[in-house]
Amino acid sequence: MLYIVGLGLGDERDITLRGLEAVKKCGKVYIESYTSLLSFGLSSDGLSTLEKLYGKSITLADREMVEEKADEILSEARRSDVAFLVVGDPFGATTHTDLVVRAKKIGVNVKVIHNASVMNAVGVCGLQLYRYGETVSLPFFTETWRPDSFYEKIQRNRGLGLHTLCLLDIRVKEPTLESLCRGRKQYEPPKYMTINTAIEQLLEVEQMRGESAYSECTQCVGFARVGSEDQMIVAGTMRQLQTINFGTPLHCLVIVGQTHPVEEEMLDFYKLKGESMQQIENVTV
């Protein structure tokens, strides 16, 4: 049996009881490390904290392992119980869907244990989840690659009055271009997109396209470390949020569509007021 277990968003305590029971009875436990990370995953003892709770050794599964050695994982799951741990919810990334499909094709039984995901945790700001349109991903721009395919999706959502969740790029264990040319992989340091960078790139694309899908005056909500004890949520215009230090990763951004009075009432709790607003105005004048 292959158990795909969601871990939630905060720390090791966010696993469900059903998930914990499944992990404890598995002979082998893997944890994905390429689509997201737990808040404690940035610390040196994060993995040992998990291992202490589960009473199991855990194998870190990076993108290369899952894409190139998935057959080994599935082969183990044919003979015994194997757990594959996923930050957030198991189906928050298409890679995990692919793993399920491959398992079912070779007759491996799969059991999925769900958990909280950023896709529903953003509801904390008060914007109603059923009023969201298509989610978009914002990749890091490079000197030679500045994709803007997300622009039409945001434009379409806003045309329908819907909110847009923007998932920000995470670059973990990415090989350098030089090392690929040499045929010997060396990896770039981990890199996590901030809300500030995301807004900068969004405004650059708007300036280039000039179709008024949004502007620096568009209302947004910035989230940092959502689901953790020290989560940070700030509502304001793009221009206002660009001046905020949201701290350590992970970050995501919601571009607000048309709002209901109840949504407005909740959003108001997260809007900058008083001294904070004055400081931003002083910076931007």
Side-chain angles (χ1 to χ4, degrees):
M1 173 79 76
L2 175 65
Y3 290 89
I4 303 185
V5 182
L7 297 181
L9 296 170
D11 58 27
E12 71 278 4
R13 296 169 297 172
D14 281 357
I15 191 171
T16 64
L17 289 174
R18 286 179 61 226
L20 187 58
E21 287 173 1
V23 170
K24 286 189 171 182
K25 72 179 182 180
C26 286
K28 193 70 179 282
V29 181
Y30 295 90
I31 182 169
E32 63 95 5
S33 65
Y34 49 87
T35 60
S36 188
L37 77 166
L38 293 174
S39 57
F40 60 81
L42 291 171
S43 66
S44 58
D45 66 344
L47 203 55
S48 63
T49 304
L50 283 172
E51 290 173 332
K52 186 183 294 184
L53 176 65
Y54 303 157
K56 302 274 185 180
S57 62
I58 300 174
T59 301
L60 201 62
D62 57 26
R63 187 181 297 277
E64 287 179 16
M65 173 179 281
V66 176
E67 291 179 352
E68 298 173 11
K69 298 182 180 180
D71 291 341
E72 292 180 20
I73 298 173
L74 296 178
S75 179
E76 290 173 336
R78 295 184 85 159
R79 302 189 300 268
S80 61
D81 290 334
V82 173
F84 189 79
L85 311 182
V86 178
V87 177
D89 185 80
F91 293 120
T94 54
T95 307
H96 310 134
T97 304
D98 178 65
L99 191 62
V100 171
V101 170
R102 293 173 71 170
K104 289 183 176 292
K105 281 184 176 179
I106 62 172
V108 173
N109 292 322
V110 178
K111 187 166 187 178
V112 176
I113 301 175
H114 295 281
N115 209 317
S117 161
V118 68
M119 304 291 282
N120 56 17
V122 292
V124 68
C125 74
L127 296 176
Q128 296 163 2
L129 293 177
Y130 63 84
R131 293 182 54 80
Y132 278 77
E134 185 175 355
T135 298
V136 302
S137 296
L138 302 183
F140 278 111
F141 285 177
T142 69
E143 290 183 8
T144 57
W145 189 63
R146 307 178 92 74
D148 62 0
S149 58
F150 55 80
Y151 186 84
E152 285 86 359
K153 297 174 184 178
I154 297 172
Q155 190 176 46
R156 188 160 56 245
N157 287 346
R158 287 180 60 75
L160 294 170
L162 302 175
H163 315 307
T164 306
L165 171 60
C166 304
L167 301 177
L168 310 188
D169 203 0
I170 302 168
R171 297 182 66 83
V172 179
K173 206 174 181 183
E174 293 283 340
T176 64
L177 181 59
E178 184 180 350
S179 71
L180 288 174
C181 293
R182 291 180 176 178
R184 185 178 178 180
K185 286 184 180 178
Q186 290 181 316
Y187 300 99
E188 298 175 355
K191 189 177 180 184
Y192 309 98
M193 185 180 288
T194 63
I195 289 164
N196 317 77
T197 298
I199 292 173
E200 181 183 329
Q201 293 189 179
L202 283 165
L203 292 176
E204 178 185 320
V205 171
E206 175 56 59
Q207 187 173 22
M208 180 179 67
R209 299 287 291 265
E211 298 173 30
S212 301
Y214 49 82
S215 73
E216 63 176 13
C217 295
T218 298
Q219 290 291 322
C220 296
V221 186
F223 300 82
R225 302 169 302 284
V226 65
S228 301
E229 293 290 339
D230 66 340
Q231 72 177 10
M232 182 176 178
I233 305 167
V234 182
T237 64
M238 285 192 179
R239 181 175 63 185
Q240 290 168 348
L241 297 190
Q242 210 168 7
T243 67
I244 302 294
N245 179 2
F246 283 89
T248 55
L250 294 170
H251 295 184
C252 64
L253 179 73
V254 169
I255 300 173
V256 180
Q258 294 175 7
T259 50
H260 183 276
V262 175
E263 291 178 301
E264 286 284 355
E265 194 172 11
M266 268 290 281
L267 268 184
D268 195 53
F269 289 115
Y270 300 106
K271 286 184 177 176
L272 295 159
K273 298 179 182 69
E275 289 183 12
S276 298
M277 181 69 79
Q278 186 64 49
Q279 288 170 1
I280 289 172
E281 288 173 352
N282 290 340
V283 169
T284 54
V285 168

